[in-house]
Amino acid sequence: MSSERSLDATDAQILLALAADPRATVVALAERLGLSRNTVHARVARMEKTGALGSFERRITPRALGLPLTAFVTARVDQHRLAEAAGALAEIPEVVEVFGLSGDTDLLVRVAAADAEDLYRVAGRILAVPGVERTTTALAMRELVPHRLTPVLRRTAAGG
């Protein structure tokens, strides 16, 4: 993973404006930021193309879909079957995201479930994935710091 910054202060200002008003048009963003419409349009298009600007899907809460329970499942995986396991996990609808880890466990799987019984079912599906050798499940009791990037966007927008 490269630590090279791909966004500059202007990009960060555009993203901050979008975070404040996700439905803002390119014209509105340009006016708000004192930039040309073409500059804003080109930068937003580039950020979408490079993946710097993520999907709308990230704004949807599992709770709104009837899945209020969040759990984190750590999994130890046969290293020769890691790609196969990741592909199989992607097929489980309740698996929200999967991270590869260093250390004692190989994967961190975020799961959204309706209730304890539903989580038990999903955890069983995860354990049944080819290559998964062992899992441990932890319930998220409360979200203390929600997903955020605004503080680093502000720092980047200020040129820091």
Side-chain angles (χ1 to χ4, degrees):
M1 196 182 308
S2 173
S3 63
E4 185 176 324
R5 182 179 292 178
S6 62
L7 301 179
D8 63 15
T10 302
D11 293 328
Q13 290 169 356
I14 292 168
L15 292 173
L16 281 168
L18 279 171
D21 184 5
R23 294 182 179 179
T25 65
V26 169
V27 172
L29 291 170
E31 288 176 5
R32 179 176 175 182
L33 299 171
L35 299 170
S36 77
R37 181 187 61 78
N38 288 339
T39 297
V40 173
H41 178 74
R43 285 175 177 258
V44 169
R46 178 181 46 80
M47 288 186 278
E48 287 174 334
K49 183 179 179 185
T50 63
L53 187 57
S55 73
F56 175 81
E57 182 179 16
R58 202 146 165 84
R59 294 185 57 211
I60 303 166
T61 63
R63 181 176 293 281
L65 300 170
L67 302 170
L69 187 67
T70 298
F72 294 93
V73 178
T74 56
R76 185 169 294 184
V77 180
D78 175 347
Q79 294 301 297
H80 301 294
R81 301 184 85 178
L82 190 58
E84 178 185 4
L89 289 169
E91 297 298 318
I92 301 171
E94 297 84 1
V95 169
V96 177
E97 55 191 344
V98 179
F99 294 94
L101 302 177
S102 63
D104 292 335
T105 59
D106 300 306
L107 300 176
L108 175 65
V109 183
R110 182 175 171 202
V111 173
D115 53 30
E117 189 66 31
D118 191 36
L119 176 59
Y120 185 81
R121 178 189 59 79
V122 174
R125 284 191 68 185
I126 292 169
L127 190 54
V129 164
V132 172
E133 298 171 346
R134 181 172 178 255
T135 64
T136 303
T137 302
L139 293 177
M141 302 303 286
R142 182 171 36 162
E143 183 179 61
L144 299 174
V145 178
H147 178 82
R148 67 199 183 118
L149 289 173
T150 300
V152 292
L153 280 172
R154 284 188 183 127
R155 185 181 65 201
T156 302

